[in-house]
Amino acid sequence: MAVKRALITGASMGLGAAFAAILAGDGWELVTVDRQPHDNDDAHSSAAARFQCELSDPAEVTRLLEGLEQGEGFDLVILNAGANATGRFEAIDPDVIPRLVHLNAFAPMALAAGFANAGKLKAGSHLLFISSLSHFTGYPGASAYAGTKDAIAIYAKSIRKPFAAKGISVSCAFPGPLRTTHAERHAPTGAQAEKRMLPEEAAEKIVAATLAGKKTIIPGLGPKLFSIAGRAFPRITSRVMRHLIYDRLDREVW
Amino acid sequence: MTALNARRRRILLTGGTSGIGLELIRRWGDRHEIVTTGRSLSSDLADILENRPSITHAVADQAKPMEAADRIAEALAARDWETLDHAVLNAGTGFAGDPASEDTARLLETLDTNLTSTMLVAQRLFPLLEKGRGTLTLIGSTAHRGAPGFASYAASKAGLNGFARSLREEWRGRIIVQVLHPGPTRTMMHQKAGLDTGRAGTFFTPPAAMAAMIDHAIARRVAGRRLSFLRYWSGESLLARGL
């Protein structure tokens, strides 16, 4: 059987590194896209090709796309790279807002559309977007981030049928808090890290569900229950989120 | 007749050149102070501006978010406004078609115009709205729940919805944040987006009625609401006219 090819953005750390480790272990050929070259990372160094790209810069994304369109197609594309910006919205550096929209929403949308248009997503392939549990709950204390993650969730939902007609299965994952260094930076002081899911566990569940063609993936029971509460009682859930996060914010982080 | 009729108010309205924005200016122009912005000055708007010093217009192209936020801040400073009663962030754009055929330039223009700029402007307006104990209204779309032929537009409007939902909690007690989602409206947007509405267009809500419903929703300070044909025919536009 031919070796399957996967592309992962943001593969150098956190959830992305966990995706890379799982797929490399299962014999996938990996193409990774990262902001910086991370030579010491085991999973990462197993990649067949590595691209360096500042995905928050639309001009670099356009150039990356032109480069990738010259190469072979993919069986799985994981558009994972993303960043948060926490703090009172009015206190966040305005320069961060466009970067967040471009990294979290523009880059995955541009890569998805570009790959589909160039025929780089093979028939029977899988395309995975990473949104956030905040899609169901609101996220006071990260309003701009919440907006970008809602954008990508609805983009994934919107393209599902047109992409299915091309033989591409579209999934979107909504992970809750994970035990990553990125989450650590943004969590309120005193938040308990051990309550957060390990990225390896989340990645395992997400990859399995994606390859099974599941469209909405919420890894973990706690996050699943929270998503149900968010949809059933949006106002109460938003208040709870304010209490859990916004009222405990002591700093702006981006 | 306007639902906002208790006192003279200071209103910032983005995207006042045509469509729903223009109708809001027609509605509010005689009673309130308005600063409006758009990519250009349309002849329709120029006619309204004539002999009305209470309405001023500034050119701001939201496809360039940082510049647009600067132009809007300058337009408010030019009126010596340090407080604001209402900000209605209505400017938007969109392209229809197969999502795979949307090129990077169009995706970027849609996201920057509809989402990035709106976020940046909202942030700039914070001190003025806080001083005025004002209302921030984001104009979304019923497409925010997803639309296969309008994917990036739907995504940008979903972004506004999620942003507003979280910001509403952040600013609770200081500034009212609301997001209103107009359904299909008989404006030029669909033609500009490259969509042939065909006979369905006949059933779209007239822009003046949509403006009436928005006016009403702002006055009632609702958190979020879909504004559609159904609501129009069920009589909300009559209510909004104060009948």
Side-chain angles (χ1 to χ4, degrees):
Chain A
M1 206 175 88
V3 174
K4 294 204 167 189
R5 295 185 88 230
L7 178 123
I8 306 172
T9 65
S12 67
M13 53 186 194
L15 188 61
F19 285 134
I22 290 167
L23 294 174
D26 287 347
W28 287 69
E29 186 181 306
L30 295 186
V31 176
T32 58
V33 179
D34 284 289
R35 190 162 45 176
Q36 301 128 346
H38 280 247
D39 296 326
N40 303 330
D41 196 294
D42 284 349
H44 200 251
S45 60
S46 66
R50 290 182 240 174
F51 288 84
Q52 195 179 336
C53 178
E54 177 53 66
L55 290 166
S56 66
D57 178 350
E60 283 202 29
V61 172
T62 305
R63 272 199 298 277
L64 170 75
L65 198 52
E66 286 162 5
L68 287 168
E69 280 170 0
Q70 305 304 317
E72 288 174 58
F74 297 102
D75 301 282
L76 171 64
V77 168
I78 303 182
L79 301 170
N80 159 76
N84 198 345
T86 46
R88 294 162 298 141
F89 176 67
E90 64 273 22
I92 284 173
D93 180 348
D95 288 336
V96 168
I97 294 171
R99 290 216 305 266
L100 218 53
V101 176
H102 295 155
L103 173 63
N104 293 355
F106 170 74
M109 287 162 63
L111 292 175
F115 287 157
N117 195 40
K120 295 298 153 191
L121 284 156
K122 298 178 187 168
S125 65
H126 296 271
L127 175 60
L128 170 64
F129 294 93
I130 309 294
S131 178
S132 160
L133 188 60
S134 69
H135 178 56
F136 303 105
T137 63
Y139 192 172
S143 292
Y145 168 86
T148 64
K149 289 298 184 180
D150 274 20
I152 205 62
I154 292 302
Y155 184 73
K157 184 179 173 188
S158 297
I159 68 171
R160 193 172 300 134
K161 273 187 189 163
F163 275 43
K166 299 176 200 292
I168 306 161
S169 160
V170 178
S171 301
C172 188
F174 302 88
L178 298 177
R179 214 180 301 171
T180 60
T181 47
H182 183 264
E184 205 67 58
R185 288 181 63 227
H186 292 283
T189 309
Q192 290 164 288
E194 62 274 16
K195 280 193 180 168
R196 296 198 282 269
M197 185 183 264
L198 285 169
E200 292 76 17
E201 190 188 345
E204 195 81 54
K205 289 177 198 278
I206 293 169
V207 166
T210 301
L211 295 177
K214 217 171 158 216
K215 55 188 190 206
T216 301
I217 304 164
I218 305 170
L221 180 63
K224 272 193 191 78
L225 292 174
F226 221 55
S227 76
I228 294 166
R231 276 177 284 193
F233 313 104
R235 206 167 287 186
I236 298 169
T237 314
S238 286
R239 291 285 162 93
V240 170
M241 288 294 282
R242 180 187 163 116
H243 176 70
L244 287 176
I245 297 163
Y246 188 72
D247 291 344
R248 288 157 65 188
L249 282 176
D250 49 7
R251 64 199 192 280
E252 271 74 38
V253 184
W254 52 79
Chain B
M1 191 70 198
T2 144
L4 298 178
N5 54 7
R7 60 183 167 84
R8 205 167 174 83
R9 301 175 192 229
R10 286 181 174 174
I11 302 172
L12 167 73
L13 170 73
T14 65
T17 315
S18 61
I20 295 171
L22 184 69
E23 291 302 327
L24 284 168
I25 293 178
R26 288 208 170 104
R27 230 179 137 73
W28 291 332
D30 288 334
R31 301 190 73 104
H32 303 297
E33 304 278 330
I34 302 174
V35 170
T36 186
T37 63
R39 253 196 279 229
S40 58
L41 177 60
S42 65
S43 58
D44 285 339
L45 182 57
D47 288 347
I48 297 175
L49 293 183
E50 219 169 300
N51 304 320
R52 277 202 185 85
S54 61
I55 312 176
T56 54
H57 173 267
V59 171
D61 179 4
Q62 293 197 180
K64 302 183 185 89
M66 286 293 182
E67 273 180 52
D70 286 343
R71 296 293 92 78
I72 290 167
E74 286 161 16
L76 296 171
R79 296 282 295 265
D80 286 325
W81 286 8
E82 287 173 4
T83 71
L84 205 52
D85 296 303
H86 299 282
V88 182
L89 306 186
N90 157 75
T93 191
F95 301 99
D98 175 9
S101 68
E102 283 199 277
D103 63 27
T104 51
R106 281 190 167 191
L107 287 170
L108 188 62
E109 186 180 340
T110 304
L111 283 172
D112 275 349
T113 304
N114 299 359
L115 186 57
T116 316
S117 289
T118 303
M119 286 178 175
L120 279 174
V121 172
Q123 197 190 40
R124 283 288 184 99
L125 298 177
F126 173 77
L128 286 84
L129 285 168
E130 193 183 35
K131 264 187 226 161
R133 300 193 68 76
T135 305
L136 172 65
T137 305
L138 308 186
I139 302 299
S141 160
T142 43
H144 81 276
R145 296 166 68 90
F150 232 171
S152 62
Y153 176 79
S156 69
K157 295 299 191 179
L160 287 182
N161 187 60
F163 170 61
R165 181 171 54 159
S166 296
L167 192 64
R168 180 176 172 82
E169 265 316 297
E170 286 199 24
W171 287 359
R172 189 155 51 83
R174 296 182 284 170
I175 296 163
I176 288 173
V177 179
Q178 56 175 193
V179 57
L180 305 175
H181 296 293
T185 306
R186 227 176 285 161
T187 64
M188 292 303 290
M189 198 193 90
H190 297 88
Q191 285 88 327
K192 281 192 216 163
L195 204 67
D196 180 14
T197 56
R199 294 172 77 177
T202 333
F203 295 100
F204 287 8
T205 310
M210 188 53 75
M213 287 191 275
I214 290 173
D215 182 16
H216 190 53
I218 293 172
R220 289 187 44 202
R221 303 176 152 203
V222 298
R225 171 167 287 190
R226 294 175 54 140
L227 303 170
S228 64
F229 174 77
L230 254 177
R231 208 174 268 281
Y232 168 62
W233 284 108
S234 68
E236 181 139 324
S237 66
L238 297 179
L239 272 178
R241 287 187 184 120
L243 296 175

